Amino acid sequence: MALLPILTYPDPRLHKKAKPVAVVDDRVRRIVRDMAETMYDAPGVGLAATQVDVHERIVVIDVSEDKSDLLVLINPEITWKSDDTKVYEEGCLSVPGIYDEVARSSQITVRALNEKGEHYEFDAEGLLAVCVQHELDHLEGKVFVEYLSNLKQTRIKTKMRKLERQPA
């Protein structure tokens, strides 16, 4: 397993739309393992392949307190969203140190493949629903800050570019 470098906003690669995974094989399972290790190390609760410059429809999520409930979503799609929304404060591994409120559907139904290539479906609400919607946005080339005002987006881009220029 290996830690993968996480792209940071406003890197243009974060806006690439991910392609469907054709076959769940050892290569894809290795990507899943590396993404999970990267997410846990960051630490985060979700990571989309787009964030590690792999432009395939792969997401890993673990919203459990003890980090023992890894959810692997390959070729995920939201098949139903509730009309009611809930506002959560979101952050993102690709936008470190930035948190802001985003309104998302409060309940969703998701269909995906697991790491064995098997279809499954589940309902989500609360933090899991928010996380799934956030990560699936990444697969579409959208970062959560794009839900914010133009002024906030400009300020965040400026801040992120300054951080990029600072020596590590």
Side-chain angles (χ1 to χ4, degrees), residues 60-110:
V60 293
I61 293 174
D62 190 341
V63 296
S64 66
E65 289 291 320
D66 62 356
K67 305 301 176 202
S68 65
D69 194 19
L70 181 65
L71 192 58
V72 175
L73 304 164
I74 298 170
N75 294 339
E77 59 180 313
I78 295 171
T79 59
W80 176 82
K81 288 182 176 188
S82 64
D83 290 333
D84 58 306
T85 60
K86 185 146 173 75
V87 175
Y88 274 87
E89 185 175 72
E90 293 187 26
C92 181
L93 295 176
S94 290
V95 196
I98 304 295
Y99 300 90
D100 214 316
E101 293 183 337
V102 177
R104 296 194 185 267
S105 294
S106 60
Q107 296 176 308
I108 59 173
T109 300
V110 182

Side-chain angles (χ1 to χ4, degrees), residues 1-6 26-41 47 52 54 60 70:
M1 295 202 294
L3 291 177
L4 304 169
I6 298 172
D26 287 341
R27 179 191 68 83
V28 170
R29 283 186 280 277
R30 187 183 72 251
I31 291 169
V32 166
R33 284 192 307 272
D34 291 347
M35 285 176 59
E37 183 179 354
T38 302
M39 174 188 71
Y40 289 129
D41 183 71
L47 186 67
V52 293
V54 174
V60 293
L70 181 65

